[in-house]
Structure formats: structure tokens, C-alpha cells
Amino acid sequence: MELAPHDPGSKLLRPDEPELDLYTIPSHSSWFSWDEIHETERIALKEYFDGSSISRTPKTYKEYRDFIVSKYREDPSRKLTFTEVRKSLVGDVSLLHKVFNFLEKWGLINFSANLGVNGGFGIEGEERSKVKVEDGVPNGIRVAAMPNSIKPILPISAPPKAGDAGGGVVNRITLAPLASYSDVFGGLKKEEGLVCGNCGGHCETGHYKYSKGDFLICIKCFENGNYGENKLRDDFKLNEAIEKSGTNGVEWTESETLLLLESVLKHGDDWEFVAQNVQTKTKFDCIAKLIDLPFGELVLGSAYRKGNPSSFSGNLISSERIQLSSSECQDTVETNGQLHEQTDDCKQNGDILDQDPPLKRQRIASLSDASSSLIKQVAAITTMVGPHITSAAAEAAVNALCEETSCSREIFNADDDSIPNGLWSPAKNCETERVHGEDSEMKERPTQSESRHAIFKKDDIPPTLQIRAAIGTALGAAAAHAKLLADQEDRQIEHLMATIIGTQMKKLHSKLKHFEDLELIRKKECAQIEEVEDILVEERMNILQRTFDSGVPRWRDHPSLKS
Amino acid sequence: MKGQASSSYKGAVKFRMPTAQNLVPIRLDLDVDGQKFKDTFTWNPSDPDSEIVVFARRTAKDLKLPPGFITVMASAIQSQIADFRSLEGQDMYPGERIVPIKLDLRVNHTLIRDQFLWDLNNFESDPEEFAKTFCADLGIQDPEVGPAIAFSIREQLYEIAVQSVASARENRISKKGRRGAEYTPVSKAGSTGLDLVKLFGHKSSVVRKRKEWDVYEPIVDLLSSEEVDALQAKEERLTR
């Protein structure tokens, strides 16, 4: 946007102020000048400049243009219409319309009005940008519902929010309730939230989904028996708003979380009881929160252990390792009991699991799965690198945390004091475990649990710190692993480069050889040609010799050639 | 003769609708067994004639008209298309023609009066586009108004084009009679033509005088139901 260069009397005013001697035109129309006709105009409106008609001359065009532009500038905030202009101009309306559209397209007229920069005449501009909503389909047209658009149009035409009535300046675009609306905007609408097809209310807690089409009703309607037309109760499936409350960000206080964990331990997956215990939260919130918690699946895993023990304990072992190597225990006091159970479980499964290579792969594969819990990821990452690296990463992470706040330093230092080698011994343990390998697995277990017990006794490191330390460790380990990978990649690249260069050399060599062969062939052919030449010369000599010998006089040859 | 023809017939065109789309306005006013049917629409003359019967049958079915209408309707359309085709291939007006188009119509509750100029030589003109702009600019909501305006323009253009074919033929004949008269004044080419030299000459401005603005300004009235009924009764009395 720039100021028109042809306004000599313009003062420096804000461009949106409806001042008569200053106008705003788009910068791409800066070619415009009152005094001449620009090339753009000549190209766009050829008929005025080819001299084909008396009614279409550059002069007429300029008059049209100047009139329309100055007419618009009488009041730039208002949208100038073609119908308004044409009554004042003599000439073919079609051509006038073309000129008008040209000027409008380039923003020479109706520019400020289009932008909605309204002075005192805002209402008119608003009216123009508003889409007309028809009351219904025109007479004689019946809109038949398409089978896949059973979703009612009711929510679309739902009354606008109360705020709109007051702020009339807002350019609200309402869409006409056409039958195809749900087809077109169905996907968009879903994002706004689930809306009950019967009562139009939002399905906050959950909804019943109609299995034979895109239709849902809220729980209230379902219980009241309002299923909508031609729909049976059996076709509805309950969809609880689990994912919703998760994203909704229900606020959980520390005490509530603790309460939740306690009750989960007590009641297992009997969520009704859990919710009763927590009191302040609903069943779905509890489930969502537990899933959101970093060790949520761990707890769940113990709950479901009977169902599929091997896969869950696989995760348990890995998470256990990280706990050991980083000298931290992820679980708060409440989950201790749970953990002991797990340890037992691991002892049972330990041998089988560690001898089972596919499981390890499974752990690594879980990395790519973003939904798996944090600790699982940490565990998976740390298993990828050696124990040395893990311990170093843990050390670095704890150090960094210590530097961050003095309170954490105190906590960690307290650990140091109370447990000899508090921070390092588990790492070493882990290391030795790695060194000894599978054979010593059984022997190692007691040491681990011992150290764990030691930690647990003194355990008052807040869970947030633990988690942060774990994250730090994981990041460190991941970085180390990445470094290793990068190094390996480098080596591979070098190797490949060497191979490529070797191949190229081979290629060059073979080419050279080929050229040499060609050279040889050429030389041979040269020699042959020379030989042939010699022979030819000889033959010629022979022939000449013979003619001289036969003694035919030369002069008789010439006339015979001529005739 | 050769030079004369090239100079005086310069700009002469073969007959067609003087608009971008060569659509013929068709007006139906049928009366079968006391039932009346009135309709207006445009038809593309390059469509095959077999379409006409299909169209008639379809219309009768959609509007639940008795089957007697089908043949009547088809023949009415057919004859109007035939009229148009009989003129095709003939020369239209020589030179430039800018004609005033006058609108005076009532569509349901909307009354429209308007006047503007139309260039018959501008084969890029688009009555439908014009009507659309008209309705948008004046805030007319009735969806039937736009097509009615476009049709009215087309009908007038068609009439003028037909007249100009006749006058072009006359010109040719008269010129055969008296050679030498190379220049035929534009005004002679048709009574409705405007004096272009006067309008677009160097001395005059293309901006109209302020007092004329009202004449060329569109007037749109929204009538009440009673007024519509009264007008309808009056129209019916006139047609009898």
C-alpha cells in the first residue's frame, strides 16, 4: 500500500482516515496517473486504442476512467457500484462495465471499501460483505436428503452467539443451510467439538455414535430415548470423551494426583471406585490423567499383567534398568509396593526375556511410537547405548539439575551422604551387570534390589526432579547414541565414497584401454590405406606404361572424348 | 463496385446475436384447452433440434402440464428457432450501432425501469453478466429478476438485429440502383441508432449532463401484494 503520488496537496495523515485529499491505492497500481494512459490500461482495454470505432477512443476511455475514479473518491469509504456509475456516462454498458471492472481489479476504486476500512459509513460496507442467508430453498425446488448426509443441519443454523448482536462491525459470514453443507464441511465441523444431533448441545462427557452413518447424540438424549428419526437403539455405540478430556487440560492438583494413584493401587481398574475416591474428578478424567502420567502404563501394566505378562514385563525390565542406571526411582512412595511386585515378576521372567532377542528389537521399535510413555522411551533409548554412556549421561543430567536450583542439589547431596556411592554405584552395578551378561543375571538381581531398597528408604526426591533427571539422562544417552550413529554413518559414507571413486577409476581405465585399442586399429587401417595407395599408383603406372607401349597417338584420344 | 463494397460494407457482419453467447431469446405464450403457459428462456441455435422435443417433454413433466402442451411448446420453440436460422448468413447493419435499451418489467413483486446504451458491434457483451451486476448493485434478492432483465435485453437486441438485416438488404438494393452514393448516414441504417459523432465527437464529453442522470438511472420498486394483483388484473384486461 502506498500513497498515490498524484496528490500534491496531501498532508501526512493516516491512510485510513477518510480525508478528501489523500487516497490509498494499492502499490501494484502505482502506475496510475491522471495525465496519461499507462501501458497496462492499453493492454487490458485494447478496444479503446485500436482506433476501430468512433465511440471507442483513448479520449473516451480517459474520460470514463477519470469520472469513475473521481466519483469513487468523493467518498472512498463507500463501495461504488457499476449501476451508480453508468447512469452518468454515455456509452455501451458492456464496455463501461469492462472499464469499471478493470479499475476495481487494480484497486483504483473500491480499494479502501473492500478492505473494510470504514469511516463513518461502516454499516454499508458490512452489509456488502455479509452473505445473504436464504430462508429456504426457492419455490419448486425440493431438496432431497442424500443417504450419507443424515447428519442434521440443525447445529449449523444454531443461533449465533450473543456477542454478535452487539458488535455489528464484525463481518460474520453465515453459510446457507444447504443440504450439501455437511458433506463439504463435515470434516471441519468435527474439529469444533462434538455436537449432539438431537438437542444441539455439546457432548462434553461422551456421546453415542450412530453406527450406520455420521450421526451422534449426547448421553442425555440417548437415555431419554431420543434417537432421532428411523434410528434404533442398537445402532448406537457409546463413545466416551476420553481423548477430549485429555486435550481439554483438566487441571489436576498434586494432591488429586496422589489420591488418584492411591485409589488406582487400591481398586485396580475399577474406575467407578477410583473416581469415587478421587471425588473431584470424573471417571474419564481419572483414566485420562493416569494415561497421561509418565508411568501410567507401568501401573496399568501391573494391573493387566495376567493378560499378557511378557510384553509388559519387557517394558518393566527396561524401565527398571533406567531407574538403576540413573540412580533414581521413578515411582513415588505409593507405588513402591507395586514395584516390588514387578521386581519379583521380572525375576521370574528375567532369564527368558534376556535370552530372547526379538524383545529387544521390540523395545527399540517402541521409540518411533510417540504415544508410548516417557519412561518407556527413556528406557528404550538407554538400552541402545552402553552403560558407560548411560552413567555419564545420568551424571551430567544430575549435575545440570544441581546447578539449576540449590534445593535439588541439597536433595541429591543428601542422597550422596546417606548412601555411599549413592549416585554412582547403581551405574556401576548396571555396568557390571552388562559385563557379566546373562549368566550372572540371577546373581545380579539381589544386588539391584538391595540398592533399590537403600534408595527407597532414603527416598524423598520429588518425582518431578526424578523425571527431569531421567529426561536428562535419556537425552544424554540419545545424544551419545546419535553420535555413535553419526560416526558410523560417516564411516559408511567414506567407505561408499571410496567404492565410488574406485569404480570411477576402473571406468576411466577401461575407457583409456578402449581408446588405445582404437588407436591401434586406426594405425593399422592407415597402414592398409597406404598400401592400397601404393598399389593404385603402381597400377596406374602400369596402365600408362602399357598405353605408351602400344603406341596409340595422343591426339586421337581428344576428339573421341569431345564427341 | 468492388471498392465500393469494401468501403461501405466494412464492419458488416453475418447475422447473429450481438452478444458473447449466441443465445436466442424464446418467448412462449401458449394456451391449450384454457390452460395458459407463459415462459421465457434462451436457446442455443447450434443445439440439435431433437433437443427441443426433449426439452418440451421435460418441462411439461416438471411443471405437471397436460401432455397436449408438449407438441404445442415444441412447435413454438421450433418456429422461433427457424426464424432465427432463416436470418443466419445474411449481412447485418453496416457501421457502428449503439442503441438505447429500455427496461420496463415487473417480476413478481419487483418493478424495474431503466435505460442504457448498448453497442451492437460489441460481441463481447454479456446481458446475463450485466443483469447479475444490476441485481447485486441494487440489492435485488428475488432470483427471478436477473434472468428476466437479461432476457429483456436479449429480446430487444434480437429485434434490433432483425431490423438491421432488413435495412442492410434495402441499402444494398438502393445502392445497386444509384451508384456513387457511397456514404449512407448512420441514422438511416436504423431509426433507433444514435448519432455517434454527436455523442463521441471531440467537442462533447462522454459524461452526461447532470439533469440527464435521472433518465438513465434505474428505478426499482417493490410492490405490495395488492398492487401486484391490481397490475395483473390490468394487464389481463389489456390483453383481451
Side-chain angles (χ1 to χ4, degrees), chain A residues 240 270-275 281-288:
Chain A
E240 283 162 355
D270 203 344
W271 294 106
E272 296 287 348
F273 283 110
V274 172
K281 291 283 180 289
T282 66
K283 190 168 95 182
F284 308 116
D285 287 340
C286 288
I287 298 171

Side-chain angles (χ1 to χ4, degrees), chain A residues 391-451:
Chain A
S391 64
E395 185 187 337
V398 171
N399 280 345
L401 277 177
C402 285
E403 272 167 31
E404 221 170 73
T405 48
S406 58
C407 113
S408 58
R409 183 199 305 258
E410 275 165 31
I411 290 161
F412 282 117
N413 285 347
D415 276 357
D416 262 345
D417 296 340
S418 56
I419 315 164
N421 325 320
L423 286 169
W424 321 123
S425 66
K428 275 175 190 161
N429 270 351
C430 187
E431 196 181 317
T432 47
E433 179 194 7
R434 292 291 183 121
V435 174
H436 290 305
E438 286 151 14
D439 305 27
S440 57
E441 191 80 349
M442 292 304 275
K443 278 184 228 159
E444 287 297 318
R445 285 290 165 191
T447 8
Q448 281 174 32
S449 6
E450 263 174 44
S451 64

Side-chain angles (χ1 to χ4, degrees), chain B residues 68-120:
Chain B
F69 268 105
I70 297 173
T71 46
V72 183
M73 198 189 301
S75 62
I77 299 170
Q78 183 74 64
S79 70
Q80 288 183 49
I81 300 276
D83 285 347
F84 179 84
R85 292 227 176 97
S86 69
L87 294 164
E88 268 180 328
Q90 300 193 42
D91 279 340
M92 271 206 290
Y93 41 81
E96 257 190 285
R97 289 285 301 283
I98 291 187
V99 291
I101 299 283
K102 281 177 187 156
L103 295 182
D104 188 359
L105 37 111
R106 181 184 63 83
V107 184
N108 298 333
H109 289 252
T110 322
L111 200 69
I112 293 152
R113 271 196 205 92
D114 197 3
Q115 177 167 222
F116 44 84
L117 301 180
W118 201 278
D119 187 351
L120 286 180

Side-chain angles (χ1 to χ4, degrees), chain A residues 53 55 63 86-88 90, chain B residues 96 114 122 205-206 208 217:
Chain A
S53 160
S55 65
E63 268 183 77
R86 71 165 155 85
K87 70 175 181 193
S88 326
V90 179
Chain B
E96 257 190 285
D114 197 3
N122 182 0
S205 163
V206 288
R208 278 198 186 100
E217 189 174 34

Side-chain angles (χ1 to χ4, degrees), chain A residues 433-483:
Chain A
E433 179 194 7
R434 292 291 183 121
V435 174
H436 290 305
E438 286 151 14
D439 305 27
S440 57
E441 191 80 349
M442 292 304 275
K443 278 184 228 159
E444 287 297 318
R445 285 290 165 191
T447 8
Q448 281 174 32
S449 6
E450 263 174 44
S451 64
R452 179 201 303 279
H453 280 302
I455 299 165
F456 285 169
K457 271 172 214 156
K458 306 288 169 193
D459 190 2
D460 28 39
I461 303 174
T464 47
L465 264 183
Q466 290 172 1
I467 291 165
R468 287 173 70 186
I471 294 167
T473 313
L475 289 177
H481 187 66
K483 173 87 169 80

